[in-house]
Structures are given as C-alpha cells and as structure tokens.
C-alpha cells in the first residue's frame, strides 16, 4: 500500500500541497469548510498528520528541550532529588509552551545515538560521568547546552552547588559534635557496578565529578580535625536505593570499633543506614548519628542533611535553555544549608 502524503490528499481534492499543509499547521488561512473537507479526506486515507521531525526541520525548531541523565526512567521518577529537579525544569518548559524529551542513559550505557537522533532545540545534561560519549554528541549538535551537577564543560553554563564546601559542612557537623569514629556510605562514584569497600585510590579516581568533589569535602574536614582519612571506613554502593543503604549500614556498623557517625551522599542511603541501625537495635542519635544529603524525603525521618534548591535549579536550567544560554554566567552556584534534625547528637562518653 502506497504511503499517504500531503500530496496524496492534495491530488484527491484538486488543491495545492500547501493548502493541505495549512489545514494542519495554519488553519486560520483556510475557510472552515475547506479545512473540514481536507481533514475528512485525510481521515479516510489514514493520514495522521505531518511528520514532526520534517516539520521541525522546516521551521528550524522542535518545540522541545532534551534532558539527558545517567539513570533509568524508573529511578528518575522514584528519586526525590531527581523528582524535584524535573518539576522545576518541566514547569519552565510548560510556561514557555514547549515539551520535554527525557533521554535516560543508565550506568554503563555508552550509546550516543539517542542524542544524535533527538529532535530538540536544546539539551540539559545532568550528572554524566567524565568522558561519556553522549556528551561529545551533544556538543557536536551545536545547540544550547546547560550542564547540571556534572561534568563541568568550559564555555557552557553550569548549575550546581559548591560540592567540596557542602561535603565539608556535613562532616564538620558531626566532628564538632565530638565524633571521631566516622564511616562513609556513597553512591555515584563509578559506573562499574561495584558494591563494597573503596580505598582512597578508588575514591580519588571516581568518574562522577560532583561526587568526587563531595567526597573531597568529607576528607578535608576530617583531616582538618586531625583524623587520618585512610582510617575512615568507606563503603561504596552501585545503586541509590534504601536497601543499598541498609547493606552499607550493616557493613559499616559491623566494624570494630563501630562508627559513631555515618555520612552518606544521599538521603535515600541515609534512610537505609537508619534501617540498619534499627535492625541492630542501635538508638539514633544516642548510639549512632547519621547525615544525609539534599533534604529529599528527610523531614519525616528526622534526618540531618544538606538542603539543596532542587526545583529552583531545574527552573533556572529551563530558563537558560529557553533563552539559548545567552548572557548566562559560566558557573551558577546555588546556595545550600545544613538542616539539623534528630538523627545527630554528641557521641556517648
């Protein structure tokens, strides 16, 4: 069966191809009767409408923003930090009357064809590891680009927080309370799926720049307090899930001597550490202090954490993309703050 095109409909009605096109793209240029007849014939022939890709090429715009991030869609719609950011970005797009095309690249997915084929006007790149081929493909498209969290790309707007300072703030909190036996549980260092103990060399070699910098903040604060960072047990997990946090918590709390405070780089992991403490009958904060990061779903659990402006960052990224990135500062750092709740307290004597 021959493919039905605008010309097929035009031939059937004895009108020009442009007239048929107007029925779909510029209905105000036609009389109601003529447009109705064109749509009736299109329906009879099984024509759904102009190809959106071809139309975007003709108009020079797609009417959509592309969002690239290093996780699955299922994860993105379950992670509190990602949800907050997406809400801000989607609101900015909706206010401007454009769509949002989500392009997930789960850990280990090194493809770039999804970027090459995406029909979008601009790209928001969120949390890609160093050297990911999709980033090179994005830059080759020569569209407006905004990077969120990682990696830093000179010449393009970058949105995030001062990661080393924020990490140091979290660590200093428990150090100033008097804790000297610390443990760390982190996700998002590498793409290789490793779960287990990670020494200083593996920590420093992390391919995700933001988490590498956050960890550097932990180390800096510990060393300023006179602690030997090499003696701080560091447990790495492959997935940011509550169950992964629970496993990390059990591993850390099985150490002898047992940590009296555990730092985590997400609130989701911190909630899992709280679960592990409950499994072991440890009282929080009397026997264990726990600190999260991002202030997502943390309030109900009484979790001390670092608060990030998730939705504000998403909205700002959207506005920058819609403006074509013009007149944007190369680095736009958002404020963060330590929110102290009931999961931290001085250690028992």
């Amino acid at each position: 069966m021959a493919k039905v095109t605008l010309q097929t409909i035009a031939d059937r009605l004895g009108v020009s191809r442009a007239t048929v096109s107007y029925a779909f793209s510029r209905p105000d240029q036609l009389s109601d009767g003529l447009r109705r007849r064109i749509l009736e014939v299109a329906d009879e022939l099984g024509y759904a409408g102009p190809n959106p890709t071809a139309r975007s090429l003709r108009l020079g715009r797609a009417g959509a923003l592309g969002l690239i991030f290093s996780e699955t869609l299922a994860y993105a719609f379950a992670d509190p930090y990602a949800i907050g950011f997406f809400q801000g970005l989607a609101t900015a797009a909706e206010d401007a009357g454009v769509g949002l095309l989500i392009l997930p690249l789960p850990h280990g997915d090194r493809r770039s064809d999804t970027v090459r084929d995406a029909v979008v006007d601009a790209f928001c790149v969120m949390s890609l590891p160093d050297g990911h081929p999709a980033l090179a493909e994005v830059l080759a498209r020569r569209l407006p680009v905004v990077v969120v969290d990682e990696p830093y790309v000179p010449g393009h707007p970058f949105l995030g927080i001062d990661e080393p300072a924020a990490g140091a703030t979290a660590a200093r909190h428990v150090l100033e309370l008097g804790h000297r036996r610390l443990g760390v549980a982190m996700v998002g260092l590498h793409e290789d799926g490793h779960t287990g103990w990670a020494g200083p060399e593996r920590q420093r070699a992390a391919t995700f720049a933001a988490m590498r910098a956050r960890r550097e903040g932990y180390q800096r604060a510990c060393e300023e307090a006179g602690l030997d960072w090499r003696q701080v047990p560091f447990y790495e997990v492959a997935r940011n899930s509550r169950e992964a946090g629970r496993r990390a918590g059990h591993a850390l709390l099985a150490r002898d001597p047992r940590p009296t405070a555990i730092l985590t780089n997400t609130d989701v992991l911190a909630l899992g550490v709280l679960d592990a403490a409950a499994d072991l009958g440890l009282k929080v904060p009397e026997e264990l202090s726990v600190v999260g990061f991002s202030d997502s779903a943390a309030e109900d659990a009484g979790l001390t954490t670092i608060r990030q402006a998730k939705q504000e960052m998403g909205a700002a990224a959207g506005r920058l993309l819609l403006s074509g990135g013009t007149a944007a500062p190369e680095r736009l750092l958002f404020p963060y703050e330590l929110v102290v709740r009931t999961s931290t307290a001085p250690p028992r004597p």
Side-chain angles (χ1 to χ4, degrees), residues 41-110:
V41 171
D43 186 58
E44 290 171 9
L45 296 175
Y47 181 72
N51 182 287
T53 302
R55 182 172 184 269
S56 70
L57 292 174
R58 288 196 304 274
L59 296 176
R61 62 180 180 82
L65 305 178
L67 170 62
I68 301 170
F69 61 95
S70 59
E71 268 297 351
T72 63
L73 270 178
Y75 171 86
F77 288 110
D79 178 69
Y81 174 77
I83 290 171
F85 178 84
F86 289 178
Q87 286 175 338
L89 180 60
T91 298
E94 188 175 44
D95 289 346
V98 302
L100 185 61
L101 178 64
I102 300 178
L103 303 168
L105 292 171
H107 285 191
D109 186 344
R110 311 293 286 181

Side-chain angles (χ1 to χ4, degrees), residues 170 217 240 250 278 289 302 320:
N240 184 34
H250 275 286
S289 287
L320 285 174

Side-chain angles (χ1 to χ4, degrees), residues 3 6 17 47-64 101 113-121 141 143:
K3 181 181 177 181
L6 292 175
R17 183 183 180 282
Y47 181 72
N51 182 287
T53 302
R55 182 172 184 269
S56 70
L57 292 174
R58 288 196 304 274
L59 296 176
R61 62 180 180 82
L101 178 64
D113 56 319
T114 54
V115 175
R116 188 183 314 120
D117 300 335
V119 182
V120 297
D121 298 308
R141 294 281 303 269
L143 295 172

Side-chain angles (χ1 to χ4, degrees), residues 64-70 85-86 88-90 100-105 115 120-128 134-135 138 143-151 157 159 313-322:
L65 305 178
L67 170 62
I68 301 170
F69 61 95
S70 59
F85 178 84
F86 289 178
L89 180 60
L100 185 61
L101 178 64
I102 300 178
L103 303 168
L105 292 171
V115 175
V120 297
D121 298 308
F123 283 105
C124 177
V125 176
M126 182 181 185
S127 298
L128 284 189
L135 180 59
V138 165
L143 295 172
V145 176
V146 170
V147 179
V148 177
D149 288 341
E150 55 200 342
L159 278 65
M313 288 174 63
R319 289 193 297 269
L320 285 174
L321 290 171
L322 291 164

